[in-house]
Amino acid sequence: MKQLLSAFLILGACVHLSTAKHVDGMVGLKGHLPRQRDIERFMKSQVQASNFTTSDSLRRIRANRAADIKDSFLHAWRAYKKYAYGADEINPLTLEAVTTRNGWGATLIDSLDTIHIMGLEDEFKEATDKVRAINFDKNDGEPSKVFETNIRYIGGLISAYELSNDKVFLKQATALADIMLEAFDTPTGIPWQMWDVQTGTGGSETGPSTLNNLAEIGTYQLEFFRLSQLTKDPVYHKAAQRVYDVVLDRNVPKKGSVYSVPGLYPIFIDIKTGKFLSGKPNLGGGSDSFYEYLIKTWALSGYQLQRSLDMWKESLKGIKKYIVSRGSDKRMYMGIGDDEGLDSISDTFTCFFPGTLALASRLLNDSESMDLAHELLLSSYNTFARTPTHIGPENFGFLPDGDDDSDLLLAQRSEIKKYGFYLDRPYYLMRPEVIESIFYFYRITGDEKYADWIWEIWQGIKANCAVEGGFAGLRDVRLGREGGLIGKQESFVFAETFKYLYLAFTEPNVISLDDYVFSTEGHPFKRSFSFNGTF
């Protein structure tokens, strides 16, 4: 199947002739290759600060905080190991094993690099033995979500390999990627949203339709680029880059159409035609990591994938004009918008963007965008800091500055006066995005206040979410534990939330942003792999 797909990708009608002599993605939107002098300039960019406070007293505080977070990680890990080891998840309230990601052990694999970074040698060895025995040809009888399989399993395995040099992880990552490549064998090369590894059939979350969304077609590029580097097989990179070929070739921005602003892409797409269908552009769930991977894959490629950089710049221009908006509390928010107007609703997924924008700003020496990133961080952090629990909601809304509040419910108006925003979906599922963005700002600026922000959030999480089986969700962040708990602990709690919490208090050279690029699932990939345009 991999050989057939490789031939399909090479012969695909959408592949530009101008890319024939270069690895897919190296030719920019205007037909130009990256310039060597630009690459050399980018290579000199330093992401992390060099002015971290190094007093003995502060180091002791940081070490104690890191140890506290590590102890809590071990508490959750040991519960998983005792009651659900090898399962996808554990229900932290009932202590039952839960199958959510085909039964291959999502928590096991998603946690590997966090375990390694924390220096938990025995736990890492035991987990390695467990991973070695996994057979990805069999599942629980349910279709795989291809996007989740990539970011949690393939990404987790690649990162574990890079950190440990144990080839079992690369072997398993390659085996699973080869299976998932079959999901890209569609009329356009855009992958199915769901794929059944046993029957070889695709579909979407809603059934046999050919619907997919922006994030779930545009969040392979980082992992597949690195896998092509590690295996010296371009088929993975080609499959991921073909998505961009189709998106760009089959959708031309036109005022008044579903796709009206260059670089601001609608959410939903038909994988059969490659055409956008609906969904106003935003940075939240269903869109978020598409934009994230433009800048991160460019950085991971040693600044060689010019098209990704050009797409990022085009998207950022639209984001600044149509997505961000100042609220009535004078903070800058991210909504849902295009040239027909803004919907002032947002979700916690959007809160990844301040950190990613700060990273891009450092890579590109873009002080204006750095200022915007800081403003967006303040509103993101505020969704946590202003609640009684210091934990933020899943969804929230804001009132654009100067707008009338007559369309809002009385309760919403009251919360805007109290918090600066209103809670639309008040629950919390241990999501990492706000912590992630604050972590980036801490590492980029060296300002200890950001580490203190993270510690404040951690105190709220520990007080309200810790249970026997790990960490549960909250039904209402305004009420905390007393408002009820949710028996859900996804694998990203181990892969992302705990990792960013912990790394905020280690020495700054541990997984430095100058040495690694984090995937959307929080898996660090080394930036030191050289890339000269070929695999």
Side-chain angles (χ1 to χ4, degrees):
M1 175 57 69
K2 186 166 72 170
Q3 290 78 10
L4 290 173
L5 182 60
S6 181
F8 170 72
L9 291 167
I10 292 171
L11 296 173
C14 293
V15 176
H16 297 292
L17 294 176
S18 61
T19 67
K21 296 181 180 180
H22 308 287
V23 167
D24 301 65
M26 286 185 65
V27 176
L29 293 181
K30 295 182 179 179
H32 62 294
L33 288 166
R35 296 182 298 185
Q36 185 59 36
R37 67 175 180 270
D38 289 338
I39 293 173
E40 291 172 358
R41 175 167 54 86
F42 295 137
M43 287 290 186
K44 295 176 182 177
S45 299
Q46 182 175 329
V47 177
Q48 287 211 164
S50 56
N51 61 332
F52 291 94
T53 306
T54 57
S55 69
D56 289 342
S57 61
L58 183 58
R59 280 186 165 177
R60 284 193 295 272
I61 291 171
R62 292 170 55 75
N64 288 336
R65 289 178 172 183
D68 182 74
I69 293 163
K70 182 177 177 179
D71 286 346
S72 290
F73 175 90
L74 276 170
H75 162 72
W77 179 257
R78 286 166 179 161
Y80 168 70
K81 184 179 175 183
K82 181 177 181 179
Y83 298 108
Y85 201 41
D88 290 335
E89 296 174 12
I90 178 177
N91 181 316
L93 299 181
T94 66
L95 307 181
E96 295 173 308
V98 183
T99 300
T100 56
R101 308 288 174 198
N102 298 101
W104 294 323
T107 293
L108 176 75
I109 291 176
D110 228 359
S111 305
L112 288 168
D113 50 14
T114 307
I115 294 170
H116 192 279
I117 290 166
M118 289 183 173
L120 302 172
E121 296 180 2
D122 292 342
E123 287 81 1
F124 190 79
K125 184 179 183 301
E126 291 173 350
T128 301
D129 292 339
K130 198 79 170 174
V131 169
R132 186 177 284 110
I134 296 173
N135 179 3
F136 291 115
D137 286 316
K138 297 182 179 180
N139 66 5
D140 66 339
E142 296 292 328
S144 306
K145 201 166 194 186
V146 187
F147 156 81
E148 299 286 3
T149 300
N150 176 57
I151 65 172
R152 301 188 195 223
Y153 286 109
I154 297 174
L157 290 164
I158 291 172
S159 181
Y161 169 69
E162 292 195 5
L163 291 173
S164 70
N165 292 316
D166 191 323
K167 291 184 179 179
V168 67
F169 299 121
L170 179 59
K171 179 181 177 182
Q172 289 287 58
T174 306
L176 182 54
D178 287 346
I179 293 170
M180 287 297 116
L181 276 179
E182 296 181 21
F184 288 76
D185 188 10
T186 67
T188 59
I190 295 177
W192 290 98
Q193 185 176 41
M194 309 294 293
W195 185 254
D196 191 318
V197 301
Q198 294 185 166
T199 65
T201 55
S204 76
E205 284 185 297
T206 57
S209 79
T210 54
L211 187 73
N212 207 335
N213 66 56
L214 192 65
E216 296 189 39
I217 68 171
T219 312
Y220 301 93
Q221 289 69 21
L222 196 76
E223 292 85 356
F224 279 25
F225 173 80
R226 178 46 49 86
L227 192 58
S228 282
Q229 282 188 300
L230 293 173
T231 62
K232 303 186 187 306
D233 188 340
V235 68
Y236 311 105
H237 176 69
K238 284 180 175 291
Q241 288 295 314
R242 181 167 166 78
V243 171
Y244 291 161
D245 293 340
V246 176
V247 165
L248 295 171
D249 285 351
R250 302 201 180 181
N251 298 277
V252 178
K254 181 180 178 182
K255 191 172 180 61
S257 70
V258 65
Y259 177 36
S260 59
V261 179
L264 282 189
Y265 303 105
I267 298 177
F268 298 108
I269 193 169
D270 186 340
I271 69 169
K272 186 175 181 180
T273 65
K275 295 278 192 180
F276 286 119
L277 299 173
S278 62
K280 207 168 184 177
N282 67 85
L283 296 169
S287 298
D288 45 6
S289 47
F290 180 96
Y291 299 103
E292 178 185 4
Y293 270 28
L294 294 175
I295 194 67
K296 288 186 172 181
T297 307
W298 171 73
L300 194 71
S301 74
Y303 317 108
Q304 298 273 4
L305 295 179
Q306 184 66 40
R307 179 169 64 176
S308 292
L309 176 60
D310 291 349
M311 291 174 69
W312 165 263
K313 288 181 176 180
E314 185 175 66
S315 294
L316 184 57
K317 184 178 179 181
I319 288 167
K320 288 180 176 180
K321 188 171 183 179
Y322 296 110
I323 299 294
V324 300
S325 175
R326 198 166 297 282
S328 58
D329 61 352
K330 307 306 178 184
R331 292 183 175 88
M332 193 71 82
Y333 289 90
M334 296 163 280
I336 301 172
D338 56 20
D339 57 357
E340 293 187 351
L342 178 80
D343 297 329
S344 54
I345 192 74
S346 194
D347 62 30
T348 194
F349 293 103
T350 66
C351 297
F352 87 93
F353 191 70
T356 297
L357 183 57
L359 171 66
S361 300
R362 292 288 282 191
L363 292 170
L364 297 168
N365 192 26
D366 181 357
S367 59
E368 179 187 328
S369 292
M370 189 68 184
D371 291 341
L372 174 60
H374 183 254
E375 286 206 77
L376 294 172
L377 179 73
L378 293 178
S379 67
S380 297
Y381 168 60
N382 189 59
T383 64
F384 276 60
R386 294 295 299 276
T387 71
T389 58
H390 296 293
I391 298 173
E394 181 84 353
N395 283 38
F396 55 92
F398 61 95
L399 180 67
D401 194 23
D403 277 14
D404 187 285
D405 66 359
S406 59
D407 289 337
L408 298 178
L409 299 175
L410 182 61
Q412 293 172 334
R413 294 181 208 166
S414 176
E415 287 190 334
I416 284 177
K417 289 179 180 178
K418 185 176 183 179
Y419 303 130
F421 59 91
Y422 67 86
L423 287 76
D424 184 51
R425 295 179 183 174
Y427 58 86
Y428 175 65
L429 294 174
M430 291 289 295
R431 296 200 191 278
E433 287 80 8
V434 170
I435 299 167
E436 171 188 349
S437 278
I438 301 172
F439 162 77
Y440 272 98
F441 267 82
Y442 173 62
R443 286 291 188 88
I444 286 170
T445 67
D447 190 333
E448 289 295 328
K449 76 177 180 184
Y450 296 117
D452 290 338
W453 288 3
I454 289 177
W455 184 250
E456 177 187 82
I457 291 171
W458 169 237
Q459 295 308 297
I461 290 173
K462 195 164 62 165
N464 289 281
C465 301
V467 294
E468 180 184 354
F471 286 79
L474 293 180
R475 295 192 181 279
D476 193 323
V477 299
R478 296 164 297 196
L479 303 175
R481 188 183 293 269
E482 289 71 24
L485 298 173
I486 300 171
K488 185 70 173 173
Q489 182 180 251
E490 289 212 41
S491 64
F492 61 68
V493 175
F494 298 86
E496 298 182 78
T497 308
F498 269 112
K499 186 182 287 108
Y500 291 124
L501 286 166
Y502 181 72
L503 288 175
F505 300 105
T506 62
E507 290 298 310
N509 63 348
V510 177
I511 314 295
S512 166
L513 296 179
D514 288 311
D515 299 329
Y516 291 86
V517 172
F518 285 93
S519 76
T520 196
E521 190 72 5
H523 297 305
F525 296 163
K526 291 180 179 177
R527 294 178 61 188
S528 57
F529 279 83
S530 61
F531 177 63
N532 61 4
T534 60
F535 294 113

